[in-house]
Amino acid sequence: MARIARTGWTPYWQAAPLALVFLLFLVVPLVFILLVSFWTYDNYQIQPVLTLQNYADVFDRCISRLPSLCTTFRTYVSTLGFAFRVWLITLVIGFTVAYFLAFEVRSKVMQSVLFLICTIPFWTSNVIRMISWIPLLGREGLVNQTLLGLGVVDQPVDWLLYSGFSVTLTFVHLFTFFMVVPIYNSMLRIDTSLIEAARDAGASGWQILWNVIVPLSKTGIAIGSIFVITIVMGDFVTVGLMGGQQIASVGKTIQTEISYLQFPIAAANAVVLLATVLIIVFALLRVVDIRKEL
């Protein structure tokens, strides 16, 4: 109260509009999803009667089937597998691109131009960018025709499209930029005199990378990781389109339940997914205190 008396209410009034938007478009919908997840339903209607059956259905017979995995656990393992692979690949690519822009390109103008070029794919729809892979990866696509022409394979490769490979490739294509931006922003804030001091002290390029650049870029790495993992965990369009409707994911499960008007169990699945993502984010924040670093 003493602090409010000293500074006045101006900061709170300035934050009020964004806080109101945050409340109306994030907190309130999440509360409704949580509430609906406890409602009961049948083939005809949803009844506001509290029940835990929806969560029981989500984890139906999962414990009794151990050590074998039930459908829900297999779906989460598949989704987490995609998230881990995409995170690892986008981290390597994003860090490399950000490093090149921040330290190898000396001109600020050229840095801005190259960074702008990286944003060009975002000028088109994600769906169009997904579909563009189909003529390349299909049985009659450019990649298979090239492999056949070079004599590398005797028949078209089937696993290039409508498989886990095509889903992972598309995820990397769509979301690498979400890793580039925060890492690049963190690298721009690194004092180059620290790198020069390490070089004068006899550190090799790899030692400078691991002992100077990576620790000072961990905030950007954490933010980019949160972006990529949260998007991949909830995605269902990419999995459905590039997986040929044959690959399971949590987002795809929720989308299917909504299409059948099974809103309470879809809400229960959404709550479980949200809890899983929050646990991952919490683990990342335990490693890197973003607020302190920023």
Side-chain angles (χ1 to χ4, degrees):
M1 294 301 297
R3 182 181 178 184
I4 294 176
R6 290 195 304 268
T7 60
W9 290 93
T10 302
Y12 297 92
W13 286 115
Q14 290 175 339
L18 290 179
L20 181 61
V21 171
F22 181 82
L23 177 66
L24 292 178
F25 295 101
L26 180 63
V27 177
V28 172
L30 287 178
V31 171
F32 275 107
I33 291 174
L34 180 63
L35 182 61
V36 172
S37 69
F38 290 101
W39 287 2
T40 186
Y41 72 101
D42 54 30
N43 295 329
Y44 305 99
Q45 61 182 343
I46 299 174
Q47 299 176 353
V49 178
L50 298 182
T51 179
L52 294 175
Q53 186 59 43
N54 297 321
Y55 289 93
D57 292 339
V58 169
F59 296 101
D60 184 25
R61 296 185 297 277
C62 285
I63 303 300
S64 61
R65 293 185 182 183
L66 293 176
S68 62
L69 298 179
C70 66
T71 302
T72 299
F73 285 172
R74 287 199 302 267
T75 303
Y76 270 90
V77 169
S78 174
T79 305
L80 289 170
F82 280 123
F84 176 76
R85 290 192 295 271
V86 173
W87 168 78
L88 184 61
I89 297 172
T90 55
L91 177 59
V92 173
I93 298 175
F95 189 91
T96 303
V97 173
Y99 179 89
F100 175 79
L101 292 177
F103 298 110
E104 298 298 328
V105 180
R106 301 300 181 182
S107 172
K108 296 297 183 181
V109 175
M110 187 56 65
Q111 283 181 346
S112 300
V113 171
L114 293 177
F115 184 81
L116 181 62
I117 292 175
C118 292
T119 67
I120 290 178
F122 280 80
W123 299 357
T124 58
S125 168
N126 279 4
V127 176
I128 294 176
R129 291 156 63 193
M130 290 182 221
I131 295 175
S132 66
W133 284 105
I134 296 178
L136 294 176
L137 303 178
R139 286 182 59 86
E140 303 298 328
L142 180 62
V143 175
N144 268 316
Q145 293 301 314
T146 302
L147 294 176
L148 290 171
L150 295 175
V152 178
V153 295
D154 298 327
Q155 57 184 1
V157 180
D158 293 327
W159 54 263
L160 291 177
L161 186 62
Y162 302 138
S163 62
F165 170 80
S166 61
V167 173
T168 303
L169 179 63
T170 306
F171 274 141
V172 172
H173 174 211
L174 295 178
F175 304 135
T176 297
F177 192 68
F178 289 97
M179 191 71 77
V180 172
V181 174
I183 297 178
Y184 175 64
N185 182 63
S186 292
M187 288 183 176
L188 286 180
R189 300 170 58 188
I190 297 176
D191 189 351
T192 55
S193 63
L194 297 175
I195 300 176
E196 294 297 332
R199 186 175 290 111
D200 293 340
S204 64
W206 283 107
Q207 288 175 327
I208 293 174
L209 179 66
W210 288 111
N211 297 320
V212 178
I213 296 177
V214 170
L216 295 176
S217 302
K218 60 183 181 181
T219 301
I221 293 173
I223 295 174
S225 300
I226 291 173
F227 283 160
V228 171
I229 291 174
T230 53
I231 295 174
V232 172
M233 287 291 291
D235 184 276
F236 63 91
V237 177
T238 305
V239 175
L241 182 61
M242 300 306 296
Q245 308 298 334
Q246 303 173 24
I247 297 177
S249 72
V250 182
K252 185 65 180 172
T253 300
I254 295 173
Q255 187 265 338
T256 302
E257 291 166 346
I258 291 176
S259 66
Y260 285 104
L261 304 181
Q262 298 174 347
F263 296 112
I265 192 171
N269 264 307
V271 171
V272 174
L273 175 61
L274 177 61
T276 304
V277 173
L278 288 178
I279 291 173
I280 297 174
V281 172
F282 178 77
L284 289 172
L285 295 180
R286 294 287 292 178
V287 176
V288 180
D289 189 347
I290 295 178
R291 293 174 299 176
K292 180 180 179 181
E293 296 294 333
L294 291 177

